[in-house]
Amino acid sequence: MAIDLSTLVKAYDVRGVVPDQLSPHVAQALGAAFARAVVLADAGAGSADADEAAAGRPAMVIGRDMRDSGPELVDAFARGVTGQGVDVTLIGLCSTDGLYFASGRLDVPGAMFTASHNPARYNGIKLCRSGARPVGQETGLAQVRELAQGYLDDGLPEPVAEPGRVTEQDVLADYAGFLRELVDLSGVRPLKVVVDAGNGMGGLTVPAVLGDAAGLAGLPVEVVPLFFELDGTFPNHEANPLEPANLIDLQAAVVANEADLGLAFDGDADRCFVVDERGGAVSPSAITALVGLAEVTKELTAGRTPTVIHNLITSHAVPDLLSAAGAETVRTRVGHSFIKAQMARHGAVFGGEHSAHYYFRDFWFADTGMLAALHVLAALGTQDHTMSELAEMFEPYVGSGEINSTVPDAAAATERVLDAYRAAYPGIVVDTLDGVTVSHWESHPQWWFNLRASNTEPLLRLNVEAADQDIMEKVRDDVLSLVRDPAAEPAEGEETP
């Protein structure tokens, strides 16, 4: 059966159903392609000089999450890599930020086998260059797909005369120690935190970083564990805290245990979500502003002018608060490869996304949910406010969250919304950095919304923010009516958008 990698290789990673889309044969082809297009190219050999480059022993690192399909796919990918003369270091079970740590510390490219929050039947690969630098469509992934497609169509390339070697290394203790050095929790007041690992890799990393499982000294932090057993079938709930239904267990446990806060990690534990002591979800935008302020303050204290990156879906509070604190803020499109590229370009100290990805200059400009969690614990534990009171300081505006609409023609629906709003509000500002953003923020009443089409489904994604709840709901409902009903029009009025 012919295999079309265009359905598997996404905008900035590889993800699909096992084995229908992602099989060991496909993984081996992707491994050979990654070796030639990225690893050997980074080593200065180029894709056509594998035998010559092998003499310099180029290398990469591979990790995986707890999915049952992981070991077989890793073995196949490694065969493809070593067949092109590249050494492989296997670090076994790890979080995605654990793989980035290994790539940064060892200064070699990396591959993380994970499908993040996707259901058990999926697996995938997150790829990076040496130093955890991003690999996206414009930075190598398109070439990997093209080469691998050729290998699947015409046969795998011949192995080089001297194949690469495979070794194993445990980096968990070094990873935990490195994060502890970046944020010191030894002096915080005693905290009780409920952590929902969702049967994902947080069940491995949290005991190592917040506890003593990696041999580190104890912290004044009591962890109440939820679903720490590594289980890629996700028997309790999906490991996707972005969906409110998957936070219910954590919210109830925080209240029942009278905890100071709750933390939820996705399947590969690179994203972290926060719940306050009352069980309320804290927006990732608020966490972006909170953590960003800590990093900005550190930079200003050192006499440097900090830059913070945020995607265009984050709250206006992020640039407002961080600019007021003395930072330069840069707005960018959604997606980790774009954020990482802008982080490196600007030498940014920190970056945040609405999806709870948080990026740190001190972590090779890569994203790590665990480091963000440490910053939240430090911010809470060094003052007397509750988590809800602390979060309220960073949430001055009201957001809708992301709302999906199934539409037959996303472009036509977007143009319909634009036509209606341009007619009703001549003073709006429209930009197309990522989808379409319509802003009325400089006039009363303040509001903005963004519409982005899905790359893989017939969906339009809507995000709305306003200065108060009534305005947000009015804009939200008007835009959804226009998206879903071609005959609808936005209502006008001085006090409603």
Side-chain angles (χ1 to χ4, degrees):
M1 182 179 66
I3 299 171
D4 181 5
L5 290 184
S6 66
T7 63
L8 180 66
V9 181
K10 310 297 185 182
Y12 31 78
D13 64 9
V14 177
R15 202 169 300 190
V17 175
V18 178
D20 297 347
Q21 294 174 297
L22 182 55
S23 66
H25 180 59
V26 171
Q28 186 173 356
L30 288 167
F34 185 68
R36 289 195 165 216
V38 174
V39 184
L40 295 173
D42 278 2
S47 61
D49 300 315
D51 278 300
E52 179 183 343
R57 307 310 316 178
M60 69 168 295
V61 61
I62 304 177
R64 65 176 179 87
D65 70 12
M66 64 289 140
R67 293 167 189 269
D68 292 342
S69 58
E72 186 178 27
L73 293 174
V74 167
D75 287 347
F77 188 90
R79 284 198 303 274
V81 171
T82 56
Q84 301 309 302
V86 175
D87 289 345
V88 168
T89 298
L90 300 177
I91 62 172
L93 288 166
C94 65
S95 57
T96 289
D97 64 330
L99 183 279
Y100 292 148
F101 167 78
S103 172
R105 177 61 63 87
L106 299 174
D107 198 25
V108 296
M112 175 67 187
F113 276 77
T114 180
S116 186
H117 60 276
N118 285 106
R121 66 183 185 277
Y122 285 82
N123 212 325
I125 317 170
K126 294 182 178 180
L127 300 165
C128 64
R129 294 181 180 270
S130 58
R133 291 177 296 147
V135 172
Q137 286 290 338
E138 298 177 359
T139 53
L141 193 56
Q143 187 180 4
V144 170
R145 183 189 66 232
E146 182 180 348
L147 282 175
Q149 187 68 66
Y151 299 155
L152 292 172
D153 294 342
D154 304 322
L156 292 168
E158 289 295 323
V160 298
E162 185 179 354
R165 297 168 300 212
V166 177
T167 58
E168 297 181 2
Q169 183 174 344
D170 186 350
V171 302
L172 181 61
D174 290 340
Y175 159 82
F178 180 78
L179 292 182
R180 285 271 200 103
E181 291 174 0
L182 295 177
V183 181
D184 182 11
L185 294 181
S186 60
V188 302
R189 61 183 168 91
L191 295 173
K192 179 187 285 189
V193 54
V194 181
V195 179
D196 185 346
N199 298 109
M201 294 313 303
L204 178 72
T205 58
V206 170
V209 178
L210 297 184
D212 57 8
L216 300 177
L219 295 171
V221 177
E222 178 187 351
V223 174
V224 180
L226 282 184
F227 315 132
F228 272 34
E229 303 79 15
L230 302 184
D231 189 338
T233 67
F234 306 112
N236 294 288
H237 60 70
E238 288 185 352
N240 181 16
L242 194 60
E243 291 293 334
N246 297 323
L247 289 176
I248 292 174
D249 293 324
L250 175 63
Q251 292 168 315
V254 166
V255 174
N257 285 276
E258 298 183 342
D260 294 289
L261 76 163
L263 302 174
F265 292 90
D266 63 347
D268 59 336
D270 63 344
R271 290 188 293 157
C272 177
F273 294 75
V274 179
V275 167
D276 67 32
E277 81 286 353
R278 301 178 302 189
V282 180
S283 81
S285 287
I287 300 302
T288 295
L290 183 155
V291 177
L293 183 61
E295 293 286 10
V296 165
T297 301
K298 182 173 63 177
E299 288 293 285
L300 291 171
T301 301
R304 297 184 291 264
T305 300
T307 298
V308 174
I309 309 294
H310 64 96
N311 76 21
L312 77 173
I313 305 300
T314 54
S315 168
H316 250 285
V318 172
D320 287 354
L321 294 172
L322 296 183
S323 296
E328 296 180 358
T329 61
V330 176
R331 176 175 175 267
T332 188
R333 60 186 300 187
V334 175
H336 77 263
S337 63
F338 306 118
I339 290 274
K340 288 177 183 177
Q342 291 297 317
M343 288 281 293
R345 177 183 176 188
H346 293 276
V349 67
F350 177 69
E353 293 200 87
H354 72 296
S355 54
H357 282 284
Y358 306 107
Y359 306 78
F360 296 82
R361 183 193 61 202
D362 293 341
F363 200 77
W364 298 278
F365 299 115
D367 46 324
T368 163
M370 188 62 69
L371 183 51
L374 291 175
H375 273 290
V376 172
L377 291 170
L380 181 62
T382 52
Q383 47 82 61
D384 295 329
H385 292 294
T386 64
M387 189 68 236
S388 60
E389 292 169 339
L390 185 61
E392 187 176 357
M393 301 176 191
F394 298 94
E395 294 185 281
Y397 310 127
V398 180
S400 67
E402 194 154 87
I403 304 168
N404 291 325
S405 298
T406 301
V407 293
D409 188 334
T414 300
E415 196 59 36
R416 186 163 61 243
V417 172
L418 280 177
D419 288 345
Y421 270 85
R422 280 174 171 144
Y425 300 94
I428 59 172
V429 176
V430 177
D431 77 62
T432 56
L433 176 63
D434 193 352
V436 172
T437 301
V438 176
S439 178
H440 196 262
W441 202 256
E442 302 305 319
S443 303
H444 180 80
Q446 291 179 302
W447 53 265
W448 65 266
F449 67 82
N450 174 271
L451 278 172
R452 293 181 301 124
S454 168
N455 291 322
T456 58
E457 302 172 271
L459 297 176
L460 264 181
R461 308 189 191 282
L462 172 66
N463 284 270
V464 182
E465 184 174 55
D468 62 55
Q469 185 74 26
D470 290 342
I471 297 300
M472 184 280 291
E473 290 178 357
K474 189 68 176 67
V475 175
R476 178 198 65 196
D477 294 346
D478 278 352
V479 175
L480 287 177
S481 294
L482 286 161
V483 166
R484 298 170 180 177
D485 178 6
E489 294 182 1
E492 297 185 59
E494 291 187 0
E495 297 302 321
T496 57

